[in-house]
Amino acid sequence: MKVIGVDVIRGSIRSRSRRPGYAFVLLEDGEIVEETEVTLHRLLRRLAEVRPEVLAVDSLQELAADQHELYALLQAMPTGTRLVQVTGGERTESLAQVAGRFNIRFNRLNPYDEARTTARVAALGAGAEVIAFENTTDIAVTRHRSPGRGGWSQNRYTRKIHGAVQRKAREIEAELAAAGVRYTKQETRAFGGSSRVVFTLPMARRDVPVSTYYGADVQVRITGKRL
């Protein structure tokens, strides 16, 4: 099991001039395999690369200033990664109290020690998962760039892009069928193929057996419906 724990070293998510830097700790099967400092942008990149089961934090306000930013963060995370606030949900307690239940001691003044502790208690089952979406998810396959207009060569280019969208949609449809997932499909046909195909699935975003994709001509975006 892979768990990433983070804690703010400096700055604040609410500040425009001093953006936060985070202590980043990657725990794999109970062992620390990476410790480093990351920005929020770098954190999202590492999440995409590592694809952990859990991103653990002791306070959501360290990652998102408001509900809008929280939705954006959850949409940007890999589909299989859960965001867990280890200090609880509606009724919270301190990280020290949570760690104490597992006989874990840490230095509260050391962000890396807090990040290690956050990851460890999350791996042991502490905390509450942050859920902001219904159990309905859209997979949208669209053009990654505009085909432009005019000319024979432009028509060929447009046909190439729309053909790529259609092929990618068929790949995803085959993946969903192989996984036994029910879905509805809306397809916008266009010159040479399709300009947009949307699959709607009756499941949570994290359970979708398809990944976000950005190619030269095609993009695949996975979005959950807000609660």
Side-chain angles (χ1 to χ4, degrees):
M1 180 180 184
K2 296 178 183 178
V3 178
I4 289 175
V6 295
D7 190 66
V8 172
I9 297 175
R10 67 180 67 84
S12 169
I13 198 72
R14 298 178 182 275
S15 173
R16 291 180 178 270
S17 59
R18 295 188 70 241
R19 301 301 291 170
Y22 298 94
F24 170 104
V25 174
L26 171 59
L27 200 70
E28 189 167 349
D29 296 328
E31 298 293 328
I32 295 173
V33 296
E34 182 182 355
E35 289 188 358
T36 189
E37 180 177 340
V38 296
T39 61
L40 182 58
H41 177 71
R42 177 60 179 162
L43 171 61
L44 291 173
R45 285 183 57 188
R46 291 297 290 135
L47 288 174
E49 293 164 357
V50 176
R51 305 188 74 83
E53 283 84 350
V54 173
L55 169 62
V57 65
D58 66 346
S59 172
L60 294 178
Q61 294 181 359
E62 294 181 354
L63 294 175
D66 53 34
Q67 191 176 54
H68 175 76
E69 288 190 2
L70 178 60
Y71 278 121
L73 171 68
L74 290 168
Q75 291 282 26
M77 288 169 53
T79 54
T81 299
R82 296 181 293 121
L83 176 60
V84 171
Q85 181 171 269
V86 297
T87 50
E90 294 183 2
R91 297 180 61 183
T92 61
E93 52 189 337
S94 70
L95 179 59
Q97 289 174 309
V98 176
R101 292 205 302 272
F102 297 97
N103 295 317
I104 297 174
R105 296 182 179 180
F106 66 98
N107 182 353
R108 303 182 194 183
L109 302 179
N110 184 331
Y112 283 95
D113 212 15
E114 287 218 354
R116 293 183 203 109
T117 302
T118 298
R120 286 189 172 117
V121 297
L124 292 169
E129 180 182 356
V130 179
I131 298 175
F133 303 105
E134 298 178 1
N135 286 331
T136 303
T137 303
D138 286 341
I139 303 172
V141 187
T142 60
R143 300 176 305 211
H144 198 193
R145 50 184 167 180
S146 173
R149 59 183 180 179
W152 178 82
S153 61
Q154 190 63 55
N155 287 340
R156 184 172 60 182
Y157 178 59
T158 299
R159 186 168 60 245
K160 172 179 176 290
I161 292 176
H162 290 161
V165 170
Q166 189 176 64
R167 286 192 299 275
K168 190 65 179 178
R170 287 174 177 170
E171 289 178 15
I172 290 174
E173 192 164 14
E175 289 182 51
L176 296 177
V181 175
R182 293 186 297 110
Y183 61 88
T184 59
K185 183 176 77 170
Q186 291 182 313
E187 182 172 6
T188 303
R189 301 301 297 271
F191 177 61
S194 306
S195 62
R196 178 181 177 86
V197 182
V198 178
F199 300 92
T200 300
L201 285 60
M203 61 171 50
R205 182 178 179 273
R206 66 173 179 272
D207 297 326
V208 172
V210 175
S211 299
T212 299
Y213 171 82
Y214 295 97
D217 298 324
V218 183
Q219 62 182 351
V220 178
R221 302 184 66 183
I222 302 172
T223 56
K225 293 187 182 296
R226 295 186 181 187
L227 289 173

